[in-house]
Amino acid sequence: MTVVRTIQEAREARATFHRLALVPTMGALHAGHMSLIAEAKKHAPSVAVSIFVNPTQFGAREDFSKYPRPIDEDLAKCEAAGVNFIFNPSADQMYQHGAPEIVVDLPALSSVLEGKHRPGHFKGVCQVVAKLFNILSPDAACFGRKDFQQLRIITAMTRALDWPIEIVGCTTVREADGLAMSSRNQYLTADERTRALSISRGLMHARQQVAEGIRQTNRLLTTMQNTLLDVGKLGKIPVSIDYVAAVDPMTLKPVDTITGPTVLAVAARVGMTRLIDNVVVDPSDSK
Ligand code: PAF
């Protein structure tokens, strides 16, 4: 496995592969990332993983400095998974030209949900993903559906800028008890982790209601909210909700009545840790 840290070396390494699939990551790799790597292998014979905690997508009061960076473990996991090449640049390397004068912004998709609670976040994501696409020229790139808004925005950006890159959305990997895998889960204490289960439980409960025929999203959002706020059997640590939402998967606009695929999404803080999760519900899945 080739590991490179400069843009120049990355371009040289890239040139030695024919078709390449990219898995962009911020490291702290878990089973969710490994499933992206497995999916990437289905889309190209060679796989590159980028490991870069991108400062431009973190807000001033967010967890950039404490974000986990277990690079040796990450490299070992990638090697074991048969990754061909790793791009692990420093922030100085990625942003050597200083503050960018060009940002890619998709305001209609970026100003809602996560974008509303994390102003500037998606400008940072688009900036770094655009740079990675330009440096590594992948034929395909894999992103998790847990960050469904990020996936939607990157898909739209790629189309709008005519990159010949297949954007692949990959299924959210969950722990046995339903918690969506996230590098941020390692911030949770045991009590907080138990409490964090109210996020996936609320979503699964709402999905069950759709299967039973409920179509009014206000009822589903109430279910999700009540599950999140219930300090009952999942412990007493309070959860604070940033949003619960039912949105169209393409436009990200709110949906009142479910008539087609709809994303139910949650962002909530458990203790100091902010977590997101979502499920797609479809009335055609009803019993
Ligand atoms: O999803 C992530 O880990 C990051 O947002 C990404 C896509 C690697 C960009 O920094």
Side-chain angles (χ1 to χ4, degrees):
M1 184 175 77
T2 311
V3 181
V4 298
R5 298 214 155 77
T6 69
I7 293 171
Q8 176 65 27
E9 288 166 337
R11 288 195 199 284
E12 284 164 15
R14 167 63 184 106
T16 65
F17 298 102
H18 179 48
R19 273 185 61 81
L20 183 80
L22 172 66
V23 179
T25 81
M26 298 206 298
L29 305 181
H30 50 66
H33 295 111
M34 301 332 278
S35 79
L36 298 183
I37 293 171
E39 186 63 31
K41 287 183 169 182
K42 297 181 197 160
H43 292 264
S46 304
V47 172
V49 172
S50 61
I51 300 179
F52 177 59
V53 186
N54 173 38
T56 70
Q57 68 189 75
F58 287 79
R61 293 208 300 275
E62 294 184 355
D63 56 344
F64 173 67
S65 53
K66 78 163 184 177
Y67 199 86
R69 293 165 170 84
I71 187 67
D72 292 339
E73 284 99 316
D74 286 349
L75 294 181
K77 286 178 189 170
C78 289
E79 177 105 66
V83 170
N84 301 85
F85 124 63
I86 301 281
F87 180 41
N88 174 221
S90 65
D92 285 349
Q93 179 63 209
M94 280 302 266
Y95 297 113
Q96 55 189 295
H97 305 297
E101 287 165 6
I102 296 176
V103 288
V104 183
D105 193 11
L106 296 88
L109 296 174
S110 297
S111 57
V112 297
L113 303 167
E114 285 301 282
K116 199 163 167 184
H117 291 268
R118 303 184 68 188
H121 170 66
F122 288 116
K123 284 186 186 157
V125 170
C126 287
Q127 179 185 31
V128 77
V129 172
K131 284 168 79 73
L132 291 169
F133 284 179
N134 282 331
I135 295 164
L136 298 170
S137 303
D139 298 284
C142 297
F143 297 87
R145 291 209 179 96
K146 183 171 79 70
D147 295 293
F148 84 97
Q149 187 176 9
Q150 168 174 281
L151 172 63
R152 177 70 194 101
I153 288 171
I154 289 170
T155 304
M157 171 179 80
T158 304
R159 287 199 192 126
L161 298 180
D162 299 309
W163 270 302
I165 302 173
E166 181 192 1
I167 303 299
V168 182
C170 304
T171 310
T172 302
V173 179
R174 297 181 181 279
E175 305 276 3
D177 56 13
L179 185 70
M181 293 219 182
S182 162
S183 303
R184 291 187 167 99
N185 289 352
Q186 56 187 277
Y187 301 150
L188 299 169
T189 63
D191 286 350
E192 287 170 350
R193 195 196 169 291
T194 306
R195 195 69 184 84
L197 290 175
S198 59
I199 297 174
S200 51
R201 294 227 179 140
L203 287 168
M204 301 310 158
H205 197 158
R207 184 163 69 181
Q208 179 59 29
Q209 288 184 308
V210 176
E212 285 162 6
I214 292 175
R215 298 286 176 265
Q216 298 316 115
T217 59
N218 59 0
R219 290 186 60 187
L220 305 173
L221 299 184
T222 302
T223 297
M224 286 150 62
Q225 214 151 3
N226 288 346
T227 313
L228 284 161
L229 296 179
D230 176 13
V231 285
K233 47 192 176 308
L234 292 174
K236 300 225 176 304
I237 290 166
V239 166
S240 87
I241 301 176
D242 272 358
Y243 58 81
V244 292
V247 298
D248 179 282
M250 293 301 285
T251 63
L252 308 186
K253 294 207 165 112
V255 168
D256 292 332
T257 306
I258 296 183
T259 55
T262 302
V263 183
L264 303 180
V266 175
R269 280 165 215 276
V270 184
M272 301 294 283
T273 305
R274 187 174 185 280
L275 299 170
I276 59 172
D277 197 358
N278 68 84
V279 292
V280 180
V281 292
D282 192 324
S284 61
D285 297 339
S286 299
K287 287 177 202 156

